[in-house]
Amino acid sequence: MSELDTIYDFVNYLSEKEKAIKKKILIGASGEEEILAYYYREQSENNSLIGSINGPNLLSNEGFFLDEGLWREYKYEGGFEERNFLRKNSSFWDSLIQDFSKHVLTGKVGLAEDQPFSLHEKAIRFLAAECRTSRYYLSSALVEKIREVPENRRSARLMKSVQDKDLFYIFLVFPRNKSRSDKDYRLERLGYNHSYSLVAKYLYPELKNIVVIANDYLNEERRSEDVVAYDYNRSLSLEECKLAAELYEEVGILKSVNRYTDNSVFGTLGNKPYRNKDKIYRRNGMCPCGSGKKYKKCCMS
């Protein structure tokens, strides 16, 4: 339980073991840790997100028995340190799940308290469904994004889930306007959350689910975070396409941001996105809250 500490990893391990036993691939083992070591070894050798339990010779119908010593070899060969590295460097993602879950269960969700519980639960479910390796890459990309954005600069990163091809994340760093109240700031940021998800769907029609994680910039004293899930398992309407095009052109949403991808599993992060250099908002641009009005006639006033 301490090793397989995400629900995805735990369930996949049990499923792999069940299939191996039913197919008589795995006849027996001297201990659970030996099966787990074999599972992890297959993951490393196949450079995959999760492990597997296949026989040494897939063409043979003979099963195999896992003798004592595999776990000891796994620890000495460096696999154990690799797992600890992933766990340590994905703890930020774990803390997001814990914090958001606590806020939802205690009803402390700020301006979104009028939204149904199921909507909050869905956003957390996406975060919690990621396996340990995926959490490492998502954490690395999110923390790196927060750290690199200077004060008073709106910037975003679009990143595909490592394990779910239908899920994309938008990491948004949104600066505060010192002259506005916390409530006004949060309202404005929520409007941008929706605008970024809409433009992302407009630019990449294949997207089905989008989760926006929005933050203040790193050194803000009164930091807060949003996590919002958007279901786009449909095509945008003509009105939505028109609004998304205007937000893209006039407000600069995702206009100079590359999609953040890294197809390797155990490698270095790459394909750094360009930072959005446009102004935070424009007087005559479309209001990011999604009202369809110009900014000067909407939230600016």
Side-chain angles (χ1 to χ4, degrees):
M1 294 295 291
S2 62
E3 281 293 314
L4 300 161
D5 57 355
T6 76
I7 190 63
Y8 190 94
D9 288 303
F10 184 58
V11 171
N12 185 75
Y13 171 75
L14 294 180
S15 299
E16 283 292 311
K17 188 168 72 167
E18 180 186 25
K19 288 189 295 184
I21 293 173
K22 284 185 173 180
K23 293 180 179 180
K24 295 182 171 52
I25 295 174
L26 178 62
I27 297 175
S30 59
E32 192 73 38
E33 72 276 14
E34 313 303 343
I35 304 177
L36 186 58
Y38 189 90
Y39 175 86
Y40 278 152
R41 191 179 69 181
E42 290 288 293
Q43 178 182 7
S44 297
E45 290 182 356
N46 296 327
N47 196 36
S48 60
L49 286 174
I50 51 180
S52 59
I53 303 176
N54 295 313
N57 185 358
L58 297 179
L59 298 179
S60 173
N61 293 323
E62 296 181 2
F64 64 96
F65 183 93
L66 297 176
D67 207 349
E68 188 174 354
L70 285 178
W71 181 256
R72 185 170 58 250
E73 291 178 7
Y74 168 73
K75 293 185 70 173
Y76 289 151
E77 290 174 357
F80 193 71
E81 287 75 13
E82 186 177 77
R83 298 300 304 178
N84 284 337
F85 173 83
L86 291 177
R87 187 174 294 108
K88 179 180 179 181
N89 289 277
S90 59
S91 59
F92 185 73
W93 199 260
D94 297 347
S95 66
L96 282 178
I97 298 171
Q98 293 171 3
D99 290 344
F100 286 130
S101 297
K102 180 179 67 176
H103 294 325
V104 170
L105 291 173
T106 57
K108 297 179 180 179
V109 291
L111 298 175
E113 61 184 6
D114 60 330
Q115 298 297 320
F117 180 86
S118 59
L119 189 63
H120 299 299
E121 186 272 343
K122 183 178 181 180
I124 297 173
R125 181 186 291 269
F126 280 124
L127 272 63
E130 301 287 353
C131 68
R132 177 55 58 194
T133 307
S134 182
R135 292 186 189 193
Y136 162 72
Y137 281 98
L138 290 165
S139 291
S140 300
L142 177 54
V143 171
E144 181 187 65
K145 186 61 184 175
I146 294 173
R147 287 176 175 172
E148 76 172 8
V149 178
E151 184 178 357
N152 296 326
R153 182 71 65 191
R154 169 171 56 87
S155 188
R157 169 169 289 170
L158 180 62
M159 182 175 181
K160 185 178 182 179
S161 169
V162 183
Q163 73 180 44
D164 186 349
K165 62 181 179 62
D166 294 326
L167 174 61
F168 273 72
Y169 291 94
I170 297 176
F171 303 143
L172 174 62
V173 180
F174 193 78
R176 285 179 180 266
N177 185 326
K178 303 298 183 182
S179 63
R180 307 188 72 183
S181 66
D182 282 349
K183 182 178 180 179
D184 288 342
Y185 166 74
R186 294 295 298 274
L187 281 171
E188 185 179 19
R189 192 170 69 183
L190 283 173
Y192 268 96
N193 291 344
H194 176 259
S195 296
Y196 269 86
S197 71
L198 190 66
V199 175
K201 174 65 176 180
Y202 173 72
L203 296 176
Y204 306 103
E206 74 274 12
L207 303 190
K208 294 182 180 179
N209 292 295
I210 299 174
V211 174
V212 180
I213 300 177
N215 295 265
D216 305 85
Y217 81 97
L218 182 62
N219 296 319
E220 177 61 53
E221 294 181 0
R222 300 172 297 171
R223 296 197 71 239
S224 61
E225 296 166 323
D226 296 327
V227 55
V228 188
Y230 296 93
D231 184 355
Y232 282 112
N233 196 16
R234 59 177 177 82
S235 300
L236 295 181
S237 65
L238 292 177
E239 292 76 12
E240 288 175 320
C241 288
K242 181 180 178 181
L243 176 58
E246 292 173 345
L247 289 168
Y248 175 79
E249 291 292 342
E250 298 187 28
V251 186
I253 291 180
L254 295 180
K255 192 171 185 180
S256 57
V257 179
N258 282 350
R259 206 159 74 180
Y260 186 95
T261 58
D262 186 357
N263 295 324
S264 66
V265 175
F266 298 107
T268 56
L269 295 166
N271 298 324
K272 303 295 178 64
Y274 295 111
R275 189 176 293 137
N276 193 325
K277 299 294 186 179
D278 293 341
K279 294 180 180 179
I280 297 176
Y281 34 68
R282 299 175 180 175
R283 287 175 52 85
N284 293 315
M286 298 301 297
C287 187
C289 73
S291 65
K293 301 178 181 179
K294 289 187 176 182
Y295 179 70
K296 66 181 181 182
K297 294 184 178 180
C298 190
C299 290
M300 183 178 178
S301 60

